[in-house]
Amino acid sequence: MTLAERLVRLCLPWLPPHLRDWGEAMAREAGEVPGGLRAILFAAGCVVFAARVGIGGRMRAGLRAVMPVKAYGDRIPITALCEPRGFTLACAFTATTLGLVQLGASGAAHGMLVMNAMAFVAGLIMVFPLAKRETADHPFFGLLSLGTGAALLFTAAFGEQVSGASRWILIGQIALQPSLIMLPLIIVGFARTRDSLTAFGIVMAAMALALQPDRAMAGALLAGLLAVAIFARHPRILLCVGAAGLAFAITWFRPDVVPAAPHVDRLFRAAFSNGVVPGLSVWAGAIVLMLPAVFGILRDRAHCAVHAAFGATWLAVLTAAAWGDFPAPLVGYGGSAIVGYILATLALPRRWTASRSAVEAVVIDQHKGNARRCDLSPTQGLRTNLNL
């Protein structure tokens, strides 16, 4: 049995009964696909589908039972790919696929390809139940930010140490980097809410990054918060920027001698040393990662701070990977960045909005014969104009 067929068969129990025969056929076909990389990519597509209709369907059904949402469908229409979250997930899939191409072409072990593909599936499983919910309307980011700060402090104190740095948590044979998984989400979440709980969690996270130390993620935290400060004004933003700046300064002057790991670090500097295909895959994947922020800033002026925070955070991570011995997100081996990028989509708005959060309209009161001014959403304003 090939590795691709074994991977598809692992997800057969996820499928509902009426799709088990389909899953069995896909497993046999995966075993017959020629070429290791092509077979792995085919298997990854089958696993994504199985996770979406199997695990994702069960989780959505459970959430609907406890948190009913009007008109919440089981299927996400293809038009969702044109919205911020769907477009970002499409970019994540493209960059992860380019990363698999890079790993396969540069001679990485098949296990690395499987781990990256499974990390992408895990990220989808986490976000699909909340894909149609507006998380900014609840104390979601505040509690999550506090939990992230506590988790990073725990990692700094009790995590796996390598050359004096404590940034990882071992789960079996898998090393996870909590800062890459959770920090982008709470940075973008703070750009939306700017509440006290989220700010306190940000300060805790900054302290933890200074203790670990993690220069790359401290720089990403500072970059994301500076982007928020450019587009928004609030005292809590200045507090968080100050804490992040202090953390980054501490990590800058503390020695960072973690050795470079193959297929993880130094990918940008040695992109074309293994051939044209790996080099193009690395740089194309990095460009794709930034597209959601670019389109968001250009198209969604009402949430410029949110899209700028998302883009600045990941640009800082990419810059650290190109400059020093830090992981290259999504295009290199490592599931933490893949899951972190996907999770960060939960902090993005569900819809593109107009260039202003509200449009000013004049509504003619036909009964009283006078005009009154009010603030309406763009959709409401259009409906009002059509009704006059």
Side-chain angles (χ1 to χ4, degrees), residues 61-128:
L63 281 171
R64 282 200 306 274
V66 297
M67 298 173 62
V69 176
K70 184 178 180 181
Y72 185 85
D74 281 333
R75 298 179 180 274
I76 296 180
I78 191 64
T79 54
L81 294 178
C82 300
E83 300 297 343
R85 295 182 184 180
F87 180 67
T88 307
L89 287 177
C91 290
F93 175 77
T94 303
T96 303
T97 303
L98 289 170
L100 295 179
V101 172
Q102 184 276 138
L103 289 172
S106 60
H110 281 176
M112 292 184 174
L113 279 72
V114 173
M115 287 299 298
N116 274 20
M118 294 304 293
F120 182 81
V121 173
L124 292 183
I125 293 173
M126 293 179 188
V127 301
F128 267 132

Side-chain angles (χ1 to χ4, degrees), residues 15-69:
L15 295 171
H18 69 280
L19 289 177
R20 295 286 171 82
D21 291 340
W22 173 88
E24 184 66 30
M26 291 301 100
R28 290 197 297 268
E29 186 171 347
E32 297 173 359
V33 174
L37 180 59
R38 289 179 58 191
I40 291 295
L41 293 177
F42 177 82
C46 295
V47 171
V48 169
F49 177 79
R52 181 176 182 273
V53 301
I55 296 177
R58 293 187 182 95
M59 293 178 69
R60 286 193 295 271
L63 281 171
R64 282 200 306 274
V66 297
M67 298 173 62
V69 176

Side-chain angles (χ1 to χ4, degrees), residues 102-191:
Q102 184 276 138
L103 289 172
S106 60
H110 281 176
M112 292 184 174
L113 279 72
V114 173
M115 287 299 298
N116 274 20
M118 294 304 293
F120 182 81
V121 173
L124 292 183
I125 293 173
M126 293 179 188
V127 301
F128 267 132
L130 298 172
K132 289 195 174 184
R133 285 174 169 78
E134 191 55 82
T135 49
D137 295 337
H138 307 283
F140 176 79
F141 292 119
L143 298 176
L144 196 62
S145 182
L146 290 176
T148 300
L152 294 183
L153 287 171
F154 177 86
T155 304
F158 305 105
E160 183 72 13
Q161 288 196 7
V162 177
S163 300
S166 181
R167 307 169 189 164
W168 305 273
I169 292 178
L170 283 181
I171 299 180
Q173 299 297 319
I174 301 176
L176 299 178
Q177 187 174 343
S179 58
L180 262 177
I181 295 174
M182 298 305 302
L183 200 60
L185 173 59
I186 66 170
I187 293 172
V188 185
F190 178 71

Side-chain angles (χ1 to χ4, degrees), residues 98 102 271-272 275-287 331:
L98 289 170
Q102 184 276 138
F272 291 95
V276 176
V277 172
L280 291 177
S281 299
V282 168
W283 286 100
I287 294 172
V331 295

Side-chain angles (χ1 to χ4, degrees), residues 224-244:
L225 294 174
L226 285 174
V228 178
I230 291 173
F231 291 97
R233 298 291 184 271
H234 198 282
R236 295 192 189 102
I237 299 177
L238 298 179
L239 172 65
C240 293
V241 169

